């Protein structure tokens, strides 16, 4: 509840990404998250983030609350959470705290009645990729890293205390019957439009990355052609020098003239492809649930007309 409240407050106030630490314990083969606290805002330069976290965990330990750091959380906007800072942060967490996870809470989808709370961990391939620090096409191909295996989703089971369940039951009974009809709201055009616009932006970005890589390939081909042409000319000159009894000039001088161009990193296209895949999944899920609402509303409308 603390995490949900923090994420919604940040989305309403300044639309910044909300982040915080997760506290809990490792019990057998499961990770139990029992508490959390928000990180200080990045705009506040007077607070040392590392010292702030240590002080918070020290004070929680004094009041007998689980204080072991087991991960972190972040808010998302319409499924847009995959980014380079998130990958780097989770890599540092997972290499220092082996069982750590990142929990993503989507504020916009939750407002529409679709509770989106997911936990992720980096796959061994992604960790190996970051350790090597090379994001060239050959390195990614050797490690077999793609956008589909960057993260491993961890199943989440939400458990509330008995008092919390009682309170929620009482609140549900206090809601008037006519106010509960918003769960069948069919005004989904704006949400679907936002999803599609976000996907179009990511597709444009991926197209720009593809153009960069195509230019790199064209440069490599052009350079190889020039190199072969100069080597052939150099071979003819050497043959003429040998015929005159002179010493042949080595090919190293020609090779030094052609430096290989810089390979564009492929990490950003990998992340953009993952974002497009996430948007596509959300659109598919959203449309299927909207169709279910449509059929339910149609059945209710038919039953109402029959009574009249």
């Amino acid at each position: 509840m603390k995490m949900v409240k923090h994420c919604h407050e940040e989305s309403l106030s300044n639309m910044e990404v909300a982040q915080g630490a997760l506290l809990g314990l490792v019990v057998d083969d499961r990770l139990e998250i029992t508490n959390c606290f928000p990180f200080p805002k990045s705009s506040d330069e007077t607070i040392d983030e590392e010292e702030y976290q240590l002080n918070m965990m020290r004070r929680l330990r004094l009041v007998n609350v689980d204080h072991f750091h087991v991960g972190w959380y972040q808010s998302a906007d319409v499924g847009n959470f995959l980014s380079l800072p998130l990958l780097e942060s989770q890599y540092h967490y997972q290499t220092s705290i082996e069982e750590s996870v990142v929990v993503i809470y989507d504020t916009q989808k939750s407002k529409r009645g679709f509770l989106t709370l997911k936990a992720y961990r980096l796959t061994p391939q992604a960790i190996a990729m970051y350790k090597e620090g090379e994001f060239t096409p050959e390195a990614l191909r050797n490690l077999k890293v793609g956008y589909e295996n960057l993260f491993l989703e961890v199943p989440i089971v939400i458990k509330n205390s008995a008092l919390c369940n009682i309170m929620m039951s009482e609140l549900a009974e206090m809601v008037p019957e006519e106010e509960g009809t918003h769960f069948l709201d069919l005004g989904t055009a704006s949400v679907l439009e936002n999803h599609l616009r976000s996907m179009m932006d990511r597709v444009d970005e991926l197209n720009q990355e593809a153009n960069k890589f195509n230019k790199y390939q064209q440069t490599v081909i052009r350079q190889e052609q020039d190199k072969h042409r100069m080597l052939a000319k150099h071979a003819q000159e050497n043959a003429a020098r040998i015929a005159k009894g002179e010493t042949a000039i080595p090919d190293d001088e020609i090779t030094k003239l052609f430096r290989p161009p810089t390979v564009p990193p492929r990490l950003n296209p990998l992340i953009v492809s993952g974002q497009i895949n996430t948007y596509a999944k959300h659109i598919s899920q959203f449309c299927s649930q909207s169709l279910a609402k449509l059929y339910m509303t149609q059945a209710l409308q038919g039953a109402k007309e029959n009574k009249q």
Side-chain angles (χ1 to χ4, degrees):
M1 295 298 291
K2 291 181 181 178
M3 179 183 65
V4 172
K5 181 181 178 182
H6 177 219
C7 292
H8 280 291
E9 286 177 349
E10 288 295 329
S11 65
L12 291 174
S13 59
N14 48 18
M15 297 300 292
E16 289 186 0
V17 175
Q19 294 179 336
L22 297 175
L23 307 176
L25 295 169
V26 179
V27 181
D28 298 331
D29 58 346
R30 68 181 184 275
L31 178 66
E32 294 186 358
I33 299 173
T34 57
N35 206 343
C36 67
F37 62 85
F39 290 152
K41 294 184 179 180
S42 57
S43 58
D44 193 351
E45 298 179 355
T46 60
I47 299 177
D48 187 352
E49 186 173 336
E50 185 175 353
E51 184 179 354
Y52 169 80
Q53 294 183 37
L54 292 174
N55 289 334
M56 285 293 296
M57 289 187 287
R58 192 180 299 114
R59 291 172 182 175
L60 290 171
R61 182 176 56 187
L62 293 175
V63 294
N64 199 22
V65 176
D66 293 338
H67 60 279
F68 293 105
H69 207 166
V70 294
W72 60 298
Y73 68 85
Q74 177 177 304
S75 63
D77 183 13
V78 200
N80 185 18
F81 68 91
L82 188 59
S83 62
L84 183 58
L86 183 134
L87 289 173
E88 293 177 349
S89 299
Q90 182 58 23
Y91 170 74
H92 293 304
Y93 266 95
Q94 216 162 309
T95 50
S96 58
I97 308 172
E98 185 178 356
E99 61 274 1
S100 64
V101 297
V102 54
V103 175
I104 304 296
Y105 177 73
D106 197 320
T107 54
Q108 296 300 320
K109 290 193 67 178
S110 298
K111 284 181 181 179
R112 293 283 178 172
F114 306 98
L115 178 62
T116 307
L117 190 67
K118 296 185 178 182
Y120 295 96
R121 283 173 55 84
L122 284 177
T123 59
Q125 297 96 322
I127 293 177
M129 176 188 67
Y130 262 97
K131 281 184 179 179
E132 292 186 2
E134 294 185 3
F135 308 117
T136 60
E138 291 76 14
L140 297 181
R141 184 170 60 251
N142 294 334
L143 292 173
K144 298 180 180 179
V145 177
Y147 67 85
E148 65 278 356
N149 61 354
L150 275 178
F151 280 100
L152 175 65
E153 185 175 350
V154 181
I156 293 180
V157 178
I158 301 176
K159 291 187 178 181
N160 295 321
S161 64
L163 292 175
C164 185
N165 289 330
I166 293 172
M167 182 190 71
M168 293 177 67
S169 299
E170 292 181 351
L171 290 175
E173 293 177 357
M174 293 169 61
V175 177
E177 184 177 354
E178 60 273 9
E179 292 187 8
T181 57
H182 68 277
F183 293 110
L184 295 177
D185 181 22
L186 296 178
T188 58
S190 60
V191 180
L192 189 59
E193 182 182 355
N194 290 336
H195 277 71
L196 291 174
R197 286 187 180 277
S198 300
M199 179 181 283
M200 289 169 60
D201 293 339
R202 299 289 82 78
V203 170
D204 289 340
E205 187 175 352
L206 185 61
N207 184 45
Q208 293 176 4
E209 294 290 340
N211 291 334
K212 291 180 184 178
F213 192 72
N214 289 337
K215 289 180 180 179
Y216 160 75
Q217 289 181 317
Q218 292 173 2
T219 303
V220 171
I221 294 172
R222 192 182 307 112
Q223 190 180 75
E224 287 294 325
Q225 291 174 349
D226 295 340
K227 182 179 178 181
H228 286 304
R229 192 180 303 112
M230 290 195 68
L231 285 174
K233 182 179 178 181
H234 187 67
Q236 292 177 357
E237 292 176 354
N238 279 338
R241 292 175 67 88
I242 293 172
K244 294 178 182 179
E246 299 177 358
T247 306
I249 300 175
D251 296 339
D252 295 341
E253 297 297 330
I254 303 298
T255 307
K256 290 179 181 179
L257 295 175
F258 295 93
R259 295 182 179 179
T262 305
V263 183
R266 304 302 296 163
L267 183 58
N268 191 49
L270 198 69
I271 293 174
V272 175
S273 300
Q275 291 176 344
I276 294 173
N277 183 56
T278 302
Y279 284 130
K281 287 182 178 179
H282 285 179
I283 290 173
S284 176
Q285 178 187 10
F286 185 78
C287 290
S288 61
Q289 292 179 351
S290 297
L291 286 174
K293 284 184 179 183
L294 182 63
Y295 282 116
M296 290 175 62
T297 307
Q298 184 179 6
L300 293 174
Q301 184 66 24
K304 183 178 180 180
E305 291 177 355
N306 292 334
K307 284 183 179 181
Q308 293 177 355

